[in-house]
Amino acid sequence: DHAEQALEILRREQILLVISDWRMPGMSGIELCRQLREDPEFGQPYIILVTGQSARSDLVAGMEAGADDFIAKPFNSEELRVRLQAGVRLLRLREESERRNAELAEAYRIIQADLSAAAQMQRALLPVSASPFPQLDVASLFLPAAEVAGDSFNFFPLDERHLAFYHIDVSGHGIASAMLSFKVSRFLTPEVGAITLRRRETTPQEAHAPGLPGNLVAPHEVVATLNRRFLEKDDCTHYFTMVYGVIDARSGSGVLCQAGHPHPLIRDRHGKMRTLGEGGFPVGMLDQVSYESVPFSLAPGECLYLYSDGITECRAALGGNEFGLPRLQDLLANSSGEALAGNVDSLRRELLNWRGHSPLQDDVSLLAIARVASATPR
């Protein structure tokens, strides 16, 4: 009969369904509803309000206070039974919904943990050390659009004077793209034992790329081998663009293959930019396509840039304009006097300012290889 007594019982016990009269001594049924809804201690029970009020405004007031259902006076036992059954069904549905939400939350937690582990594995394949040759300086930029990325890059020595390098951008986004990027990187990483992709067991009489020793596989052969391997996999639904190359740390001469990737850029010591390559076909898209090795040379003070289209296609937070290749070239050219790490960091800051607080729509990555200004041919 008293709402205060009901509150004491509700605090002691877990009550799932409450039937309350509208008018009671002391606290009214409306006030009781408000207290039950405002205090999480009561666990949000199902509330049926018994009332003789019939005006629409009174019913609206009861609903706003937190009542789930109404029984008008006078009522019979059958009507009460039906109302109680309806309340029990809704409580069971709510319990089932809460259980499923808890399961989904746990599944989401597990997925996030797996993604974090995958991201750590992916980052472990990215270069973490400086150039193995004193004649070359290397810096990089990596801003994934999601926890795992389709972009990847690395560099590693092939012998006492040659540095191999690559930059990969897998089509699409998400886990499938990241897994393919991881797989390609594993093919090219020295520790995995895929040395036949880059070194020959026997040296042919003639080198397959000008300026490259015969025991080193030409970049276009490496890319062609990857294209065949990934086209053989029926479950491979993604393709990727890439640049793979080799540079002689002592002379600065190099060879690279561009496979559908943005054109590599070379900045000279005066800040003038030039592009390399003819475009080429992405890897894993078409069978029986040919790839070419393109020679290049870095003089002391010059720098080679490999980058993903996530940089040039990065959209501004205001207006949605793309960052664009001219802006990228201008930024790299105007920072020619900086150390390479500072040069790349300037690009990172500029891109972050450009996109503002909006999320990246694509992975952003860049690999820069510079020939130090003091280097001399030997």
Side-chain angles (χ1 to χ4, degrees):
D1 292 339
H2 293 272
E4 289 80 2
Q5 295 175 352
L7 287 174
E8 291 179 6
I9 296 173
L10 287 164
R11 286 191 177 95
R12 293 196 307 267
E13 303 178 26
Q14 185 181 9
I15 305 297
L16 300 179
L17 193 149
V18 174
I19 303 174
S20 173
D21 201 342
W22 185 295
R23 298 185 181 278
M24 294 182 290
M27 184 186 299
S28 69
I30 289 286
E31 292 171 335
L32 175 64
C33 286
R34 289 197 184 97
Q35 285 212 24
L36 294 179
R37 293 302 181 224
E38 291 173 358
D39 192 338
E41 176 187 3
F42 298 112
Q44 300 298 307
Y46 189 87
I47 303 174
I48 299 176
L49 203 56
V50 180
T51 177
Q53 312 292 107
S54 58
R56 179 176 298 178
S57 59
D58 292 328
L59 297 180
V60 169
M63 295 293 288
E64 289 180 342
D68 296 293
D69 200 358
F70 295 90
I71 299 180
K73 296 179 181 178
F75 61 89
N76 57 49
S77 59
E78 279 301 302
E79 181 181 2
L80 178 60
R81 183 181 63 82
V82 171
R83 301 281 187 176
L84 290 173
Q85 286 179 343
V88 169
R89 282 197 301 270
L90 288 173
L91 287 170
R92 286 174 178 170
L93 287 173
R94 187 175 72 181
E95 182 181 3
E96 178 66 14
S97 175
E98 291 174 350
R99 183 185 65 79
R100 291 184 178 181
N101 287 340
E103 291 176 352
L104 287 174
E106 177 62 14
Y108 179 77
R109 186 193 65 78
I110 293 173
I111 290 173
Q112 286 299 113
D114 289 344
L115 283 174
S116 296
Q120 290 179 3
M121 292 177 64
Q122 187 177 50
R123 287 180 179 272
L125 285 177
L126 298 177
V128 294
S129 59
S131 166
F133 301 108
Q135 301 93 338
L136 299 176
D137 190 12
V138 183
S140 61
L141 169 66
F142 183 65
L143 297 173
E147 193 147 16
V148 290
D151 284 11
S152 184
F153 53 86
N154 208 340
F155 59 88
F156 42 84
L158 294 177
D159 54 28
E160 69 281 356
R161 62 184 294 171
H162 289 94
L163 182 77
F165 56 87
Y166 67 82
H167 193 283
I168 300 166
D169 184 0
V170 177
S171 65
H173 304 284
I175 297 175
S177 297
M179 289 180 66
L180 180 55
S181 179
F182 181 84
K183 188 174 183 179
V184 178
S185 297
R186 293 279 291 176
F187 268 117
L188 294 170
T189 301
E191 290 79 4
V192 179
I195 197 67
T196 54
L197 274 178
R198 303 173 302 278
R199 298 285 298 273
R200 303 182 192 277
E201 294 182 359
T202 59
T203 302
Q205 292 182 351
E206 296 182 359
H208 284 246
L212 200 64
N215 68 319
L216 298 183
V217 180
H220 71 272
E221 293 182 272
V222 173
V223 175
T225 300
L226 289 173
N227 191 55
R228 288 193 300 271
R229 289 190 179 185
F230 283 95
L231 282 173
E232 289 171 357
K233 305 294 183 181
D234 294 334
D235 59 344
C236 183
T237 58
H238 291 262
Y239 61 88
F240 56 94
T241 67
M242 71 177 298
V243 171
Y244 173 80
V246 178
I247 185 171
D248 186 328
R250 298 180 186 177
S251 68
S253 62
V255 184
L256 61 78
C257 178
Q258 178 191 16
H261 211 63
H263 291 283
L265 301 173
I266 291 182
R267 186 201 67 205
D268 68 17
R269 65 173 66 190
H270 305 294
K272 185 178 179 180
M273 308 294 297
R274 65 182 188 271
T275 60
L276 291 174
E278 298 295 331
F281 290 95
V283 180
M285 176 180 285
L286 298 173
D287 195 7
Q288 297 180 346
V289 296
S290 60
Y291 296 96
E292 295 183 3
S293 290
V294 177
F296 69 95
S297 181
L298 291 183
E302 293 190 332
C303 184
L304 171 69
Y305 296 95
L306 311 177
Y307 60 95
S308 66
D309 57 11
I311 292 180
T312 53
E313 296 177 3
C314 180
R315 295 192 174 276
L318 298 176
N321 295 328
E322 291 187 348
F323 194 77
L325 180 58
R327 183 177 280 101
L328 172 62
Q329 290 180 310
D330 288 344
L331 190 146
L332 297 176
N334 293 332
S335 57
S336 59
E338 292 182 309
L340 188 59
N343 180 206
V344 172
D345 194 54
S346 294
L347 174 60
R348 182 189 66 83
R349 291 195 304 270
E350 187 69 20
L351 283 169
L352 292 177
N353 289 335
W354 180 260
R355 70 159 182 162
H357 296 292
S358 60
L360 288 170
Q361 299 301 310
D362 196 4
D363 302 320
V364 165
S365 62
L366 175 141
L367 178 64
I369 301 174
R371 193 153 176 244
V372 299
S374 61
T376 55
R378 290 190 291 173

